[in-house]
Amino acid sequence: MKQITNRLHQISLGAVNAFVLKDDGLTLIDTGLPGSTDKIFKALQKEGKNPSDIKRIILTHLHTDHAGNAADIKRRVNARVYAHQLDAQLLEKGISSRPMTLTPGLTNRFIYQLFIKSAGDSVQPVAVEEQLTDNDVIPLAGGIRVIHTPGHSAGHVALLLQSEGVLIAGDICAHVVGLAYSTLYEDITVGKQSILKAAGFSFDKAVFGHGHLLHDEAANRKMAAKFS
Ligand SMILES: [Zn+2]
Ligand SMILES: [Zn+2]
């Protein structure tokens, strides 16, 4: 695990990241591809954290590489699941994607062939107790602001840890080799608007579903400049 702030750690699961927030027990943000539960639990234990302290799972969006173990972890630790209502409706039926278009470029074709194609578009159905909407504030860690950021998926949310100055960006864009559009979007025009919407908030760190920490005094302005 990589420490991002006092309360937030990043768990690298190969091609995708999950996050754990410590406040009132543990909150897991995203869950990796199916079959990653033990890897997540071991990462927590290595840091002296007890997986059974996971009280809630917040999903940035419905894709298999983020929601892959939500049902499994929920069952094992009895956690409540949070997701935007538009993605929650599908996740409750075990559907984990809508039709998407590949972002132009060789790298994207490569990533798609290598990692995404095999992930599939279904997961174990999972009950979502907390259906999120734009501007909700989850009362944890000084307030987690929910920013509805459609485009990559209709029910995508970015999460702003207001007191920590961190944006959990999910897949609104990626930061693998520099900031770049994600490999796939349901609607890249809407996706671009969402990146700019999120970048309009104040934060100096951003973490991503794919890639590494963006740590800059003005991470928000960097994102805005890159995608304007
Ligand atoms: Zn995604
Ligand atoms: Zn992803």
Side-chain angles (χ1 to χ4, degrees):
M1 288 208 291
K2 178 184 168 63
Q3 182 157 14
I4 306 295
T5 67
N6 278 341
R7 286 167 163 155
L8 185 71
H9 282 76
Q10 177 171 307
I11 306 170
S12 172
L13 299 167
V16 63
N17 299 313
F19 301 90
V20 64
L21 180 74
K22 197 176 169 225
D23 185 38
D24 183 29
L26 301 175
T27 300
L28 193 63
I29 296 146
D30 288 340
T31 64
L33 282 165
S36 310
T37 300
D38 288 338
K39 208 169 169 183
I40 293 170
F41 284 10
K42 275 185 193 141
L44 293 173
Q45 282 160 343
K46 211 173 151 192
E47 292 285 321
K49 294 176 167 60
N50 189 344
S52 62
D53 289 339
I54 300 172
K55 287 196 179 173
R56 44 195 99 64
I57 300 166
I58 307 177
L59 298 171
T60 58
H61 63 298
L62 79 173
H63 291 156
T64 310
D65 54 336
H66 299 255
N69 304 287
D72 184 41
I73 296 173
K74 177 181 176 58
R75 192 167 42 241
R76 282 162 68 168
V77 301
N78 196 25
R80 289 174 75 77
V81 176
Y82 296 56
H84 188 277
Q85 51 190 5
L86 291 175
D87 281 13
Q89 289 164 6
L90 297 185
L91 281 169
E92 293 196 322
K93 297 179 200 154
I95 299 166
S96 63
S97 88
R98 298 181 189 82
M100 292 195 285
T101 306
L102 191 58
T103 304
L106 260 181
T107 316
N108 289 315
R109 241 183 293 166
F110 181 73
I111 294 172
Y112 176 74
Q113 290 295 338
L114 211 61
F115 298 110
I116 300 176
K117 213 172 148 185
S118 59
D121 53 10
S122 64
V123 289
Q124 278 182 43
V126 61
V128 179
E129 287 89 358
E130 301 284 345
Q131 305 218 351
L132 302 169
T133 54
D134 192 33
N135 265 322
D136 281 352
V137 177
I138 301 165
L140 282 172
I144 304 175
R145 180 176 289 268
V146 173
I147 309 170
H148 183 213
T149 41
H152 179 71
S153 90
H156 190 290
V157 293
L159 303 166
L160 182 67
L161 305 190
Q162 301 176 124
S163 67
E164 319 258 294
V166 183
L167 181 76
I168 299 172
D171 286 359
I172 61 171
C173 57
H175 190 224
V176 180
V177 221
L179 277 172
Y181 281 111
S182 289
T183 301
L184 294 160
Y185 285 87
E186 291 173 8
D187 185 329
I188 195 168
T189 308
V190 175
K192 178 185 169 176
Q193 290 163 4
S194 287
I195 297 170
L196 298 177
K197 176 184 179 182
F201 288 87
S202 174
F203 52 89
D204 50 29
K205 289 179 183 172
V207 289
F208 303 85
H210 305 276
H212 51 272
L213 168 70
L214 175 64
H215 186 188
D216 193 296
E217 271 173 37
N220 57 342
R221 287 204 288 275
K222 204 164 183 178
M223 273 174 68
K226 174 76 192 181
F227 295 99
S228 287

